[in-house]
Amino acid sequence: MAQLSVTPWKYIYELADLRKCFYPNSTTGGLDRRREGCDRVSTWTTRGNVPHTIEATALLINAILHDEQNPFGTSNIATYSTAFARFVTGLTDVGQNKKRKLSMYDLGKGIGLPAAFIDLRHQIIHDALPSLIVLRQTTQRAVQWLYQHYWRDIELEAPMTIDPTTGTGRKKTDATYEAELEKDPHQYRFRPSRVDGNFTSQPNSVSEEVAGKEKEVGSVITTFRLPDRIVFVPGALKSVLQPLNRPRLVTLAASLTIARAMHIQSIPMWTGSSNNYAYLVTDDKSNDAVIIDPANPPEVAPVLKEQVDSGKINLTAIMNTHHHWDHAGGNSKMLDQFKGLSVIGGKDCEAVTKTPKHGETFKIGQGISVKALHTPCHTQDSICWFMEDGDERVVFTGDTLFIGGCGKFFEGKPEEMHTALNKVLAALPDDTKVYPGHEYTKSNVKFLTTVLQNEAVKKLQSFAENNKETQGKFTIGDEKQHNVFMRVDDPTIQKATGKTDPVDVMGKLREMKNSM
């Protein structure tokens, strides 16, 4: 069924001309009009309702032009990264179902987006920025992908020229079309080449056939008065054409903070012994940031100080997952160096100023929503921090959940860990990335393989053997597949433990792991 969409262009030929700017052919005479195209889209953004596919094309080409102008520029990587992350995020945001969260890979697959694009976006947002060579190559691929999946399918249908003597019609030539555009731009019609539903007719002139009258489009009759910028859009292209329900970019100038929303920097501590992680979480819209479990100030403070002093971050709080010294033991020394910080954590954490209730939420900066999940067992004040920003979901699990394992039951019982893992954390969306308090994956895999040898465990084993760090690389959905502590109902696990009750299975698994 046809849909109505208000557009930032007044006449459809403007869109066709924009395509010529971005994708020149032999008819353009070799004239490079890419800058003109980017400037035009920048103007359209002030009008609103710019389809994401158009905005993304302009951002990507703007990054290419920036690079061509100054191939050795220090901002080229940031410019490419901004454009590419925005391109992928916008496409997948459109398809997200608020009631049933899907992974970006599932969403990308549904629109033919290469998995490599999603992988690169993840690297841009969460890891070190890619090399300039990789960004150049992938951006060119992205521009071509947009042509294949959007621009190629937007056509102008020229009216027929009717011979009055024979009554037969023929298409106007390109030359005639170009000449008549100047005389009457209204006469050309927008016709996507891929349609579904009953998309049957279009007006040659909005003013003559539509405004203020009843107009049948497919099987729907509607009465309306149209603004001066309108096109009819078939259902097949609706999700691609409609703009994002989020603040628009009002300029094409590259800014890394626009593309990135939630940025997570892992700070390893005591590498080679306890292998802890502190995490710096930054809302890139406001630069507000928190530091999670900065237990070893000599390793953490210099990283923070450089970013605070340069104005990259506005450090607002310390957050702790539990009170153990290797997680909260650095709080006081950190407060000595960074004045005025809140300390958010369990009631027994050093210098704590606030302990949120289970399920309580608050914000980091403008965009990051945080929910406190109480998970007593490893310690009675253990809290996992679930964070969301747009389509990004992460959880900082301290010593409750590790990749492929869980913490010891120092202050709790098996039923508490069962609740923490298989009721509280398992209820999070499957695409929630896990950031644990320690890098224990290799040792956890050794235990997993004695109990379970499915494909998920083999995949985890291979990854751990080839990667030094595993934080943020696996999700809650992954843990349900390879973590035996989250598979206490699995007959294979029950057979290995000799238990059937989930709580008993949990207790036996911990006992078996402790004895290794």
Side-chain angles (χ1 to χ4, degrees), residues 83 87 97 116 134 165 211 221 249 283 305 311 407 415 425 447 468 492 494 509:
F87 156 64
N97 186 323
V134 169
T165 58
I221 298 178
L249 294 178
D283 170 43
K305 188 176 187 305
E415 51 263 39
L425 295 179
F447 173 66
K468 185 178 179 180
T492 302
Q494 293 177 347
L509 285 170

Side-chain angles (χ1 to χ4, degrees), residues 418-459:
H418 174 55
T419 297
L421 298 183
N422 299 313
K423 295 182 180 180
V424 177
L425 295 179
L428 296 177
D430 278 352
D431 64 353
T432 303
K433 297 180 180 67
V434 178
Y435 288 84
H438 295 265
E439 184 55 62
Y440 288 164
T441 307
K442 286 185 179 179
S443 63
N444 287 339
V445 166
K446 291 180 182 179
F447 173 66
L448 293 180
T449 56
T450 67
V451 181
L452 182 66
Q453 295 184 350
N454 63 10
E455 286 302 314
V457 170
K458 294 177 182 178
K459 179 181 176 182

Side-chain angles (χ1 to χ4, degrees), residues 63-313:
I64 294 170
L65 292 172
H66 180 82
D67 185 24
E68 289 177 354
Q69 184 177 0
N70 186 8
F72 303 103
T74 58
S75 63
N76 289 354
I77 289 179
T79 305
Y80 274 121
S81 296
T82 299
F84 196 86
R86 172 71 176 170
F87 156 64
V88 176
T89 300
L91 288 175
T92 52
D93 272 358
V94 168
Q96 188 62 267
N97 186 323
K98 293 183 178 179
K99 294 183 179 180
R100 180 175 177 269
K101 297 290 186 180
L102 298 175
S103 72
M104 294 194 77
Y105 291 98
D106 289 336
L107 293 167
K109 185 177 180 181
I111 60 173
L113 193 68
F117 286 5
I118 298 173
D119 288 338
L120 187 64
R121 174 198 173 277
H122 178 86
Q123 181 181 350
I124 290 169
I125 293 178
H126 296 295
D127 299 323
L129 294 179
S131 70
L132 187 57
I133 293 176
V134 169
L135 287 167
R136 283 170 173 163
Q137 293 175 343
T138 313
T139 298
Q140 292 287 354
R141 287 180 57 201
V143 171
Q144 291 306 312
W145 186 92
L146 281 164
Y147 179 80
Q148 295 294 327
H149 289 77
Y150 176 71
W151 291 101
R152 184 184 62 183
D153 296 330
I154 294 179
E155 298 176 0
L156 285 176
E157 185 178 89
M160 301 290 285
T161 299
I162 306 297
D163 186 328
T165 58
T166 64
T168 59
R170 61 180 178 82
K171 290 283 186 177
K172 295 183 181 181
T173 66
D174 287 344
T176 304
Y177 154 68
E178 295 286 355
E180 292 188 353
L181 273 177
E182 298 296 329
K183 296 180 181 180
D184 183 12
H186 286 86
Q187 67 180 302
Y188 290 96
R189 297 180 291 176
F190 175 70
R191 182 178 63 83
S193 60
R194 293 179 186 173
V195 298
D196 63 359
N198 299 312
F199 186 73
T200 58
S201 63
Q202 298 226 17
N204 282 343
S205 168
V206 170
S207 59
E208 290 179 349
E209 295 188 32
V210 179
K213 299 181 180 181
E214 287 190 347
K215 173 65 183 176
E216 182 172 351
V217 182
S219 59
V220 176
I221 298 178
T222 54
T223 302
F224 45 76
R225 186 160 190 85
L226 297 175
D228 64 351
R229 299 192 305 274
I230 198 82
V231 294
F232 291 91
V233 183
L237 292 179
K238 181 185 177 185
S239 65
V240 180
L241 281 170
Q242 65 185 179
L244 294 172
N245 294 321
R246 56 166 49 192
R248 300 181 197 88
L249 294 178
V250 296
T251 176
L252 291 178
S255 170
L256 192 57
T257 60
I258 293 176
R260 288 181 168 181
M262 173 168 52
H263 179 262
I264 300 169
Q265 180 179 356
S266 303
I267 306 175
M269 301 178 294
W270 298 297
T271 301
S273 54
S274 58
N275 295 309
N276 286 64
Y277 286 119
Y279 296 105
L280 176 63
V281 182
T282 305
D283 170 43
D284 281 346
K285 298 167 187 167
S286 64
N287 291 337
D288 286 353
V290 300
I291 183 67
I292 299 177
D293 289 351
N296 191 19
E299 292 185 280
V300 178
V303 177
L304 302 184
K305 188 176 187 305
E306 186 276 330
Q307 297 189 50
V308 170
D309 290 348
S310 65
K312 293 180 180 178
I313 64 171

Side-chain angles (χ1 to χ4, degrees), residues 269-270 274-279 292-293 295 320-328 373 375-385 395-412 416-417 420-421 425 434-440 444 483 485 506 510 514:
M269 301 178 294
W270 298 297
S274 58
N275 295 309
N276 286 64
Y277 286 119
Y279 296 105
I292 299 177
D293 289 351
N320 293 132
T321 57
H322 60 292
H323 71 260
H324 281 168
W325 71 269
D326 62 330
H327 293 264
L373 302 175
T375 52
C377 184
H378 181 71
T379 65
Q380 283 300 301
D381 71 341
S382 290
I383 300 177
C384 294
W385 302 105
V395 61
F396 298 91
T397 56
D399 288 1
T400 295
L401 173 66
F402 299 124
I403 304 301
C406 72
K408 293 181 178 180
F409 309 165
F410 285 127
E411 299 179 11
E416 289 178 302
M417 187 59 78
L421 298 183
L425 295 179
V434 178
Y435 288 84
H438 295 265
E439 184 55 62
Y440 288 164
N444 287 339
N483 192 328
F485 294 95
M506 177 67 71
R510 186 67 258 175
N514 290 345

